[in-house]
Amino acid sequence: MSSSSAVVFAQTLAPHTRPILHSLLLSIAGRVPRSHLTSLSELLHVCVLRVPDDTRRHLHELLAEPGWPSARASVEAKAKFEKSVIGCVCSQASYDPHRRTYKPPSCRARSGKVVRAAVSDFALVCRGLDGSAYGAASASVFS
């Protein structure tokens, strides 16, 4: 994506980040069939890549609400999901004195696979399928 189109994309998406994340989390938690998790994870991945600051802030605020998006989602499960999705967005570029270059920030969430796995795991928790034979057998389908 060229830099001018990236700016336009970010400016267009930024005002709508919170409602998008709100709907995404409710959908992941059980409002839509699990067959849609891949598409939902792709949309979440775009938010992380294109508007990382807004995504980080709004995701943290939304997940801080007790009992939301599902009463089954514990504080620990929410923290694990948040860390998996945006934990690395905060990292800064660092200077490598041996090579005399700046090393770009490493970001696990730049991989759609990491976001997809986090969404799948969080969906299992929210839907009460974590630890079940059905959840374990079907998790590989959506990861």
Side-chain angles (χ1 to χ4, degrees):
M1 188 180 281
S2 69
S3 62
S4 63
S5 63
V7 170
V8 171
F9 187 86
Q11 289 173 344
T12 304
L13 186 60
H16 306 288
T17 306
R18 185 178 176 93
I20 289 171
L21 291 174
H22 185 271
S23 296
L24 272 173
L25 291 173
L26 286 175
S27 298
I28 291 167
R31 287 223 174 145
V32 301
R34 289 180 56 217
S35 60
H36 294 285
L37 290 179
T38 301
S39 299
L40 296 172
S41 70
E42 289 172 4
L43 182 55
L44 180 58
H45 188 225
V46 167
C47 289
V48 169
L49 290 177
R50 301 295 176 206
V51 284
D53 295 334
D54 290 343
T55 301
R56 182 184 329 110
R57 183 178 72 248
H58 294 309
L59 192 62
H60 182 74
E61 290 170 0
L62 289 168
L63 291 174
E65 296 179 30
W68 192 91
S70 167
R72 293 182 181 111
S74 66
V75 173
E76 294 82 17
K78 291 179 186 183
K80 180 181 176 185
F81 174 70
E82 183 178 359
K83 183 178 179 184
S84 296
V85 173
I86 63 170
C88 59
V89 175
C90 305
S91 65
Q92 299 292 322
S94 59
Y95 182 71
D96 184 354
H98 299 288
R99 295 184 183 158
R100 295 183 183 167
T101 59
Y102 280 93
K103 190 168 61 170
S106 61
C107 187
R108 294 178 316 192
R110 294 228 180 259
S111 164
K113 187 174 182 177
V114 171
V115 175
R116 194 168 41 250
V119 166
S120 179
D121 292 345
F122 191 62
L124 290 175
V125 170
C126 290
R127 296 165 190 237
L129 297 174
D130 61 317
S132 70
Y134 174 75
S138 61
S140 63
V141 174
F142 302 107
S143 294

